[in-house]
Amino acid sequence: MDIDAWVWWLIGAVGLGIPLVLTAMPEFGMLSVGAIAGAVTAALGLGVVAQVVVFAVVSVALIAVVRPIAARHRDGRPQYVTNVDALRGRQAVVVERVDGNGGRIKLAGEIWSARALDTDQSFAPGQQVDVVEIDGATAVVM
């Protein structure tokens, strides 16, 4: 039994699709599409050289075009800041006098212990302060 060349290209495309699924490396998918293009070339009756050239051109073109677009898309995603990192730079309201030794603020709807960044500075209740950093469970404010 003699198998047509286009069937071999399809088998190759499936073979390249397997590592794509297992490794999540999109390059295998692009090579798989190149193999499908080779199968179409073979089904049209063109020779082996034309099939290999079409496979190579389609695969390289996809990798050259799609990878930079995917990289830009991946790098352009907004980075979400969570936990204590999201509290830096926010404003809070002093609940109990805050100085270099301590105090309390209302930050993001919760009461936090706080201390002044500058030990000589103090803040009265009702005053707005900026959170500079979070040191353990204490907000450092100015």
Side-chain angles (χ1 to χ4, degrees), residues 79-92 107-109 112 130-134 139:
Q79 298 296 321
Y80 295 104
V81 183
T82 59
N83 302 330
V84 295
D85 294 330
L87 299 175
R88 279 192 210 119
R90 295 198 52 187
Q91 286 194 333
L107 172 62
W112 281 72
D130 293 318
V131 177
V132 177
E133 67 177 321
I134 303 293

Side-chain angles (χ1 to χ4, degrees), residues 12-13 16 26-36 55 59-60 62-63:
L16 288 167
E27 291 83 2
F28 283 112
M30 296 172 211
L31 292 172
S32 182
V33 171
I36 291 171
F55 165 75
S59 298
V60 169
L62 283 173
I63 290 171

Side-chain angles (χ1 to χ4, degrees), residues 50-123:
Q51 295 168 28
V52 172
V53 167
V54 167
F55 165 75
V57 168
V58 169
S59 298
V60 169
L62 283 173
I63 290 171
V65 170
V66 174
R67 283 186 74 202
I69 292 170
R72 261 194 319 271
H73 178 70
R74 182 185 63 236
D75 295 340
R77 280 188 286 184
Q79 298 296 321
Y80 295 104
V81 183
T82 59
N83 302 330
V84 295
D85 294 330
L87 299 175
R88 279 192 210 119
R90 295 198 52 187
Q91 286 194 333
V93 177
V94 176
V95 177
E96 290 177 14
R97 182 178 190 273
V98 175
D99 56 24
N101 296 322
R104 297 223 178 264
I105 60 170
K106 187 168 189 174
L107 172 62
E110 297 179 350
I111 302 297
W112 281 72
S113 60
R115 66 177 161 76
L117 178 64
D118 182 1
T119 55
D120 296 333
Q121 198 171 18
S122 65
F123 303 98

